[in-house]
Amino acid sequence: MDYTAKLDTALNRLHEEGRYRTFIDIERRKGHFPHAVWRRPDGSEQDITVWCGNDYLGMGQHPEVLGAMHEAIDAAGAGSGGTRNISGTTVYHKQLETEIADLHGKEAALLFTSAYIANDATLSTLPLLFPGLIILTDELNHASMIQGIRHGRCEKHIFRHNDVAHLREILEGLDPKAPKVIAFESVYSMDGDFGPIEEICDLADEFGALTYIDEVHAVGMYGPRGGGVAERDGLVDRIDIFNGTLGKAFGVVGGYIAASAKMVDAIRSYAPGFIFTTSLPPAVAAGAAASIRHLKENSFLRERHQAQARILKARFKGMGLPIIDHGSHIVPVIVGDPVKCKMISDRLLKDHGIYVQPINFPTVPRGTERLRFTPSPVHGPDEMDQLIRAMDDLWGQCALSRQAQTA
């Protein structure tokens, strides 16, 4: 077997299809977000504006977050020293879990090193806790949820995206006595559409199922205290397990679940992805807790964030660019061709100092390749004007179609 040749074949296939992903080496500088410095492959530098980051509210550079992290690292050092079961549970971890539980109106919360791991570990562990479990999952759920369900090796059924009628049809065909979990998201990150939370909760009540919601792209940004779309819609009490992240709106890193005390205790006790992983550094936990506390008490950044998204969508629509608008903060512009999508991304970076990563298959279906913009409260009018001019120019150069503005 020529292993090197096989690797070459696999990588060349990505290049030929325009799907090869390149890491952009950027240097974030405190106090200057969304501006950063791009370190080119030749060693030169260029000032850029980041338009595709998931630090949605700029909390990764907020003074309260940085202050809490500095204080914690001076007090406790760099690492946690072990897994949560062996010396890795500190006062910072417990304080953060208390903040998260309060954010979602639940009895308890459990930290993981990422929301991906939280989904994988929890969904793969639930079948151990509920023998005979059946999981019903939205077809567009995140890869981490898909992976967790696969690892759980239980019976699963996939319902069409946001199709409550199809979900009901599946539920009606299942053993009414079997334990069930309905797994879905509140905001789907590629199209920016919302899950039908209330309707799914109604079905869960009717058919005796637990509800598992991924609020990764909503925590911090929706609801009066940043608890997510379920909080915004007054549905917190109807969700059994929340999954969320500390790496997007909260600007740090890590993931979690929030649920009843018994559910959290059971996941804590059985999930290998929790048990055998070194815990987050105390400074990270302290920074995340400070971020959550700040956003619970201050809604300005959330409101400004939504306003910026509305403005950018309106300006793209005015240019005739084909965007997807479901009313969320995510702004996808459909290019529909992987080569042109990457070319526009490259030209935005090199010629205009604008960084937005192309999104291609398998993240999105073929033919729906896109540029996914994430405006933030700190993207000002000048940055937006520059982006609009650059997109208008490149869209024309690529001979891509435009559409009439619709309401």
Side-chain angles (χ1 to χ4, degrees), residues 215-238:
E215 289 250 41
V216 160
H217 288 275
V219 290
M221 295 176 291
Y222 295 87
R225 300 194 312 151
V229 179
E231 185 198 32
R232 182 198 69 180
D233 295 347
L235 299 170
V236 167
D237 292 341
R238 304 188 67 187

Side-chain angles (χ1 to χ4, degrees), residues 44-64:
S44 61
E45 296 181 355
Q46 179 179 337
D47 292 333
I48 63 170
T49 302
V50 179
W51 274 98
C52 60
N54 283 337
D55 186 359
Y56 288 129
L57 304 180
M59 291 302 292
Q61 301 195 19
H62 194 281
E64 289 184 25

Side-chain angles (χ1 to χ4, degrees), residues 23 29 262 291:
F23 291 156
R29 292 181 174 173
K262 284 188 177 180
S291 184

